[in-house]
PDB file of all heavy atoms in Angstrom:
ATOM      1  N   VAL A 262      51.138  75.625  13.243  1.00 89.00           N
ATOM      2  CA  VAL A 262      51.778  74.632  12.379  1.00 89.00           C
ATOM      3  C   VAL A 262      51.532  75.023  10.928  1.00 89.00           C
ATOM      4  O   VAL A 262      50.669  75.855  10.619  1.00 89.00           O
ATOM      5  CB  VAL A 262      51.227  73.213  12.652  1.00 89.00           C
ATOM      6  CG1 VAL A 262      51.439  72.816  14.110  1.00 89.00           C
ATOM      7  CG2 VAL A 262      49.754  73.120  12.287  1.00 89.00           C
ATOM      8  N   SER A 263      52.283  74.432  10.000  1.00 88.00           N
ATOM      9  CA  SER A 263      52.099  74.710   8.574  1.00 88.00           C
ATOM     10  C   SER A 263      50.846  74.011   8.061  1.00 88.00           C
ATOM     11  O   SER A 263      50.308  73.110   8.705  1.00 88.00           O
ATOM     12  CB  SER A 263      53.315  74.226   7.780  1.00 88.00           C
ATOM     13  OG  SER A 263      53.386  72.812   7.813  1.00 88.00           O
ATOM     14  N   VAL A 264      50.384  74.435   6.879  1.00 81.00           N
ATOM     15  CA  VAL A 264      49.198  73.819   6.281  1.00 81.00           C
ATOM     16  C   VAL A 264      49.437  72.330   6.022  1.00 81.00           C
ATOM     17  O   VAL A 264      48.585  71.490   6.327  1.00 81.00           O
ATOM     18  CB  VAL A 264      48.825  74.541   4.966  1.00 81.00           C
ATOM     19  CG1 VAL A 264      47.730  73.771   4.232  1.00 81.00           C
ATOM     20  CG2 VAL A 264      48.373  75.965   5.253  1.00 81.00           C
ATOM     21  N   ARG A 265      50.604  71.994   5.462  1.00 81.00           N
ATOM     22  CA  ARG A 265      50.889  70.585   5.184  1.00 81.00           C
ATOM     23  C   ARG A 265      50.937  69.763   6.469  1.00 81.00           C
ATOM     24  O   ARG A 265      50.390  68.655   6.522  1.00 81.00           O
ATOM     25  CB  ARG A 265      52.205  70.435   4.412  1.00 81.00           C
ATOM     26  CG  ARG A 265      52.595  68.982   4.195  1.00 81.00           C
ATOM     27  CD  ARG A 265      53.798  68.825   3.299  1.00 81.00           C
ATOM     28  NE  ARG A 265      53.458  69.090   1.905  1.00 81.00           N
ATOM     29  CZ  ARG A 265      54.265  68.799   0.890  1.00 81.00           C
ATOM     30  NH1 ARG A 265      55.446  68.249   1.093  1.00 81.00           N
ATOM     31  NH2 ARG A 265      53.895  69.056  -0.342  1.00 81.00           N
ATOM     32  N   ALA A 266      51.567  70.291   7.518  1.00 87.00           N
ATOM     33  CA  ALA A 266      51.617  69.563   8.794  1.00 87.00           C
ATOM     34  C   ALA A 266      50.222  69.358   9.351  1.00 87.00           C
ATOM     35  O   ALA A 266      49.904  68.287   9.894  1.00 87.00           O
ATOM     36  CB  ALA A 266      52.492  70.319   9.794  1.00 87.00           C
ATOM     37  N   ALA A 267      49.358  70.371   9.221  1.00 87.00           N
ATOM     38  CA  ALA A 267      47.987  70.250   9.706  1.00 87.00           C
ATOM     39  C   ALA A 267      47.223  69.192   8.917  1.00 87.00           C
ATOM     40  O   ALA A 267      46.422  68.428   9.488  1.00 87.00           O
ATOM     41  CB  ALA A 267      47.278  71.598   9.618  1.00 87.00           C
ATOM     42  N   GLN A 268      47.445  69.134   7.597  1.00 79.00           N
ATOM     43  CA  GLN A 268      46.773  68.127   6.771  1.00 79.00           C
ATOM     44  C   GLN A 268      47.241  66.723   7.131  1.00 79.00           C
ATOM     45  O   GLN A 268      46.448  65.767   7.131  1.00 79.00           O
ATOM     46  CB  GLN A 268      47.022  68.419   5.291  1.00 79.00           C
ATOM     47  CG  GLN A 268      46.263  69.642   4.791  1.00 79.00           C
ATOM     48  CD  GLN A 268      46.661  70.050   3.390  1.00 79.00           C
ATOM     49  OE1 GLN A 268      47.792  69.814   2.950  1.00 79.00           O
ATOM     50  NE2 GLN A 268      45.747  70.686   2.663  1.00 79.00           N
ATOM     51  N   ILE A 269      48.526  66.569   7.450  1.00 86.00           N
ATOM     52  CA  ILE A 269      49.037  65.260   7.870  1.00 86.00           C
ATOM     53  C   ILE A 269      48.438  64.867   9.219  1.00 86.00           C
ATOM     54  O   ILE A 269      48.073  63.705   9.443  1.00 86.00           O
ATOM     55  CB  ILE A 269      50.570  65.272   7.915  1.00 86.00           C
ATOM     56  CG1 ILE A 269      51.132  65.406   6.491  1.00 86.00           C
ATOM     57  CG2 ILE A 269      51.114  63.998   8.576  1.00 86.00           C
ATOM     58  CD1 ILE A 269      52.625  65.602   6.421  1.00 86.00           C
ATOM     59  N   ASP A 270      48.287  65.835  10.137  1.00 90.00           N
ATOM     60  CA  ASP A 270      47.641  65.549  11.418  1.00 90.00           C
ATOM     61  C   ASP A 270      46.180  65.159  11.213  1.00 90.00           C
ATOM     62  O   ASP A 270      45.656  64.288  11.922  1.00 90.00           O
ATOM     63  CB  ASP A 270      47.733  66.765  12.340  1.00 90.00           C
ATOM     64  CG  ASP A 270      49.120  66.916  12.953  1.00 90.00           C
ATOM     65  OD1 ASP A 270      49.805  65.897  13.116  1.00 90.00           O
ATOM     66  OD2 ASP A 270      49.513  68.054  13.266  1.00 90.00           O
ATOM     67  N   LEU A 271      45.520  65.810  10.251  1.00 86.00           N
ATOM     68  CA  LEU A 271      44.143  65.428   9.931  1.00 86.00           C
ATOM     69  C   LEU A 271      44.097  64.003   9.404  1.00 86.00           C
ATOM     70  O   LEU A 271      43.201  63.227   9.750  1.00 86.00           O
ATOM     71  CB  LEU A 271      43.564  66.399   8.894  1.00 86.00           C
ATOM     72  CG  LEU A 271      42.140  66.107   8.410  1.00 86.00           C
ATOM     73  CD1 LEU A 271      41.149  66.141   9.559  1.00 86.00           C
ATOM     74  CD2 LEU A 271      41.735  67.095   7.318  1.00 86.00           C
ATOM     75  N   PHE A 272      45.076  63.641   8.569  1.00 83.00           N
ATOM     76  CA  PHE A 272      45.153  62.263   8.079  1.00 83.00           C
ATOM     77  C   PHE A 272      45.308  61.276   9.239  1.00 83.00           C
ATOM     78  O   PHE A 272      44.656  60.233   9.267  1.00 83.00           O
ATOM     79  CB  PHE A 272      46.331  62.112   7.116  1.00 83.00           C
ATOM     80  CG  PHE A 272      46.773  60.686   6.927  1.00 83.00           C
ATOM     81  CD1 PHE A 272      46.011  59.795   6.179  1.00 83.00           C
ATOM     82  CD2 PHE A 272      47.943  60.220   7.517  1.00 83.00           C
ATOM     83  CE1 PHE A 272      46.412  58.472   6.021  1.00 83.00           C
ATOM     84  CE2 PHE A 272      48.352  58.914   7.360  1.00 83.00           C
ATOM     85  CZ  PHE A 272      47.578  58.035   6.609  1.00 83.00           C
ATOM     86  N   ILE A 273      46.147  61.602  10.222  1.00 88.00           N
ATOM     87  CA  ILE A 273      46.355  60.704  11.364  1.00 88.00           C
ATOM     88  C   ILE A 273      45.042  60.511  12.128  1.00 88.00           C
ATOM     89  O   ILE A 273      44.684  59.388  12.512  1.00 88.00           O
ATOM     90  CB  ILE A 273      47.458  61.266  12.286  1.00 88.00           C
ATOM     91  CG1 ILE A 273      48.806  61.218  11.566  1.00 88.00           C
ATOM     92  CG2 ILE A 273      47.532  60.473  13.593  1.00 88.00           C
ATOM     93  CD1 ILE A 273      49.914  61.947  12.298  1.00 88.00           C
ATOM     94  N   PHE A 274      44.320  61.605  12.349  1.00 89.00           N
ATOM     95  CA  PHE A 274      43.027  61.499  13.028  1.00 89.00           C
ATOM     96  C   PHE A 274      42.060  60.625  12.238  1.00 89.00           C
ATOM     97  O   PHE A 274      41.423  59.716  12.789  1.00 89.00           O
ATOM     98  CB  PHE A 274      42.425  62.892  13.230  1.00 89.00           C
ATOM     99  CG  PHE A 274      40.944  62.868  13.510  1.00 89.00           C
ATOM    100  CD1 PHE A 274      40.468  62.410  14.723  1.00 89.00           C
ATOM    101  CD2 PHE A 274      40.036  63.293  12.549  1.00 89.00           C
ATOM    102  CE1 PHE A 274      39.094  62.372  14.982  1.00 89.00           C
ATOM    103  CE2 PHE A 274      38.678  63.260  12.787  1.00 89.00           C
ATOM    104  CZ  PHE A 274      38.203  62.799  14.020  1.00 89.00           C
ATOM    105  N   LEU A 275      41.951  60.873  10.930  1.00 79.00           N
ATOM    106  CA  LEU A 275      41.009  60.111  10.108  1.00 79.00           C
ATOM    107  C   LEU A 275      41.441  58.653   9.962  1.00 79.00           C
ATOM    108  O   LEU A 275      40.599  57.759   9.827  1.00 79.00           O
ATOM    109  CB  LEU A 275      40.862  60.778   8.742  1.00 79.00           C
ATOM    110  CG  LEU A 275      40.200  62.170   8.770  1.00 79.00           C
ATOM    111  CD1 LEU A 275      40.251  62.813   7.393  1.00 79.00           C
ATOM    112  CD2 LEU A 275      38.768  62.074   9.273  1.00 79.00           C
ATOM    113  N   ALA A 276      42.745  58.395   9.989  1.00 80.00           N
ATOM    114  CA  ALA A 276      43.221  57.010   9.973  1.00 80.00           C
ATOM    115  C   ALA A 276      42.799  56.296  11.254  1.00 80.00           C
ATOM    116  O   ALA A 276      42.441  55.103  11.230  1.00 80.00           O
ATOM    117  CB  ALA A 276      44.743  56.977   9.823  1.00 80.00           C
ATOM    118  N   ALA A 277      42.825  57.003  12.380  1.00 85.00           N
ATOM    119  CA  ALA A 277      42.352  56.418  13.635  1.00 85.00           C
ATOM    120  C   ALA A 277      40.858  56.110  13.555  1.00 85.00           C
ATOM    121  O   ALA A 277      40.391  55.082  14.063  1.00 85.00           O
ATOM    122  CB  ALA A 277      42.628  57.374  14.797  1.00 85.00           C
ATOM    123  N   VAL A 278      40.102  56.991  12.888  1.00 80.00           N
ATOM    124  CA  VAL A 278      38.679  56.745  12.674  1.00 80.00           C
ATOM    125  C   VAL A 278      38.479  55.472  11.853  1.00 80.00           C
ATOM    126  O   VAL A 278      37.630  54.630  12.166  1.00 80.00           O
ATOM    127  CB  VAL A 278      38.025  57.956  11.976  1.00 80.00           C
ATOM    128  CG1 VAL A 278      36.594  57.636  11.553  1.00 80.00           C
ATOM    129  CG2 VAL A 278      38.032  59.167  12.897  1.00 80.00           C
ATOM    130  N   ALA A 279      39.284  55.321  10.790  1.00 74.00           N
ATOM    131  CA  ALA A 279      39.188  54.125   9.947  1.00 74.00           C
ATOM    132  C   ALA A 279      39.517  52.866  10.737  1.00 74.00           C
ATOM    133  O   ALA A 279      38.846  51.834  10.609  1.00 74.00           O
ATOM    134  CB  ALA A 279      40.121  54.257   8.750  1.00 74.00           C
ATOM    135  N   ALA A 280      40.562  52.929  11.573  1.00 78.00           N
ATOM    136  CA  ALA A 280      40.943  51.758  12.370  1.00 78.00           C
ATOM    137  C   ALA A 280      39.865  51.410  13.379  1.00 78.00           C
ATOM    138  O   ALA A 280      39.572  50.218  13.633  1.00 78.00           O
ATOM    139  CB  ALA A 280      42.273  52.028  13.076  1.00 78.00           C
ATOM    140  N   GLY A 281      39.250  52.427  13.987  1.00 79.00           N
ATOM    141  CA  GLY A 281      38.215  52.166  14.976  1.00 79.00           C
ATOM    142  C   GLY A 281      36.939  51.602  14.395  1.00 79.00           C
ATOM    143  O   GLY A 281      36.213  50.857  15.066  1.00 79.00           O
ATOM    144  N   THR A 282      36.656  51.931  13.151  1.00 75.00           N
ATOM    145  CA  THR A 282      35.415  51.491  12.517  1.00 75.00           C
ATOM    146  C   THR A 282      35.304  49.973  12.464  1.00 75.00           C
ATOM    147  O   THR A 282      34.229  49.408  12.668  1.00 75.00           O
ATOM    148  CB  THR A 282      35.326  52.062  11.088  1.00 75.00           C
ATOM    149  OG1 THR A 282      35.338  53.479  11.167  1.00 75.00           O
ATOM    150  CG2 THR A 282      34.053  51.612  10.398  1.00 75.00           C
ATOM    151  N   ILE A 283      36.415  49.311  12.188  1.00 73.00           N
ATOM    152  CA  ILE A 283      36.377  47.859  12.004  1.00 73.00           C
ATOM    153  C   ILE A 283      36.039  47.132  13.296  1.00 73.00           C
ATOM    154  O   ILE A 283      35.601  45.985  13.284  1.00 73.00           O
ATOM    155  CB  ILE A 283      37.724  47.348  11.441  1.00 73.00           C
ATOM    156  CG1 ILE A 283      37.565  45.947  10.823  1.00 73.00           C
ATOM    157  CG2 ILE A 283      38.803  47.358  12.497  1.00 73.00           C
ATOM    158  CD1 ILE A 283      36.681  45.905   9.616  1.00 73.00           C
ATOM    159  N   LEU A 284      36.209  47.792  14.448  1.00 71.00           N
ATOM    160  CA  LEU A 284      35.965  47.135  15.730  1.00 71.00           C
ATOM    161  C   LEU A 284      34.481  47.051  16.076  1.00 71.00           C
ATOM    162  O   LEU A 284      34.036  46.075  16.684  1.00 71.00           O
ATOM    163  CB  LEU A 284      36.704  47.888  16.847  1.00 71.00           C
ATOM    164  CG  LEU A 284      38.220  47.983  16.719  1.00 71.00           C
ATOM    165  CD1 LEU A 284      38.777  48.844  17.849  1.00 71.00           C
ATOM    166  CD2 LEU A 284      38.842  46.588  16.753  1.00 71.00           C
ATOM    167  N   GLY A 285      33.707  48.074  15.722  1.00 67.00           N
ATOM    168  CA  GLY A 285      32.332  48.160  16.167  1.00 67.00           C
ATOM    169  C   GLY A 285      31.457  47.006  15.716  1.00 67.00           C
ATOM    170  O   GLY A 285      30.684  46.454  16.510  1.00 67.00           O
ATOM    171  N   GLY A 286      31.553  46.624  14.436  1.00 66.00           N
ATOM    172  CA  GLY A 286      30.696  45.567  13.904  1.00 66.00           C
ATOM    173  C   GLY A 286      30.936  44.213  14.531  1.00 66.00           C
ATOM    174  O   GLY A 286      30.005  43.588  15.067  1.00 66.00           O
ATOM    175  N   PRO A 287      32.178  43.679  14.494  1.00 70.00           N
ATOM    176  CA  PRO A 287      32.430  42.356  15.083  1.00 70.00           C
ATOM    177  C   PRO A 287      32.143  42.298  16.584  1.00 70.00           C
ATOM    178  O   PRO A 287      31.613  41.294  17.078  1.00 70.00           O
ATOM    179  CB  PRO A 287      33.927  42.130  14.795  1.00 70.00           C
ATOM    180  CG  PRO A 287      34.225  42.971  13.616  1.00 70.00           C
ATOM    181  CD  PRO A 287      33.344  44.183  13.751  1.00 70.00           C
TER     182      PRO A 287
END
Side-chain angles (χ1 to χ4, degrees):
V262 302
S263 68
V264 171
R265 176 173 286 192
Q268 288 172 332
I269 292 173
D270 283 332
L271 178 60
F272 161 73
I273 292 171
F274 162 71
L275 294 173
V278 171
T282 300
I283 198 65
L284 300 176

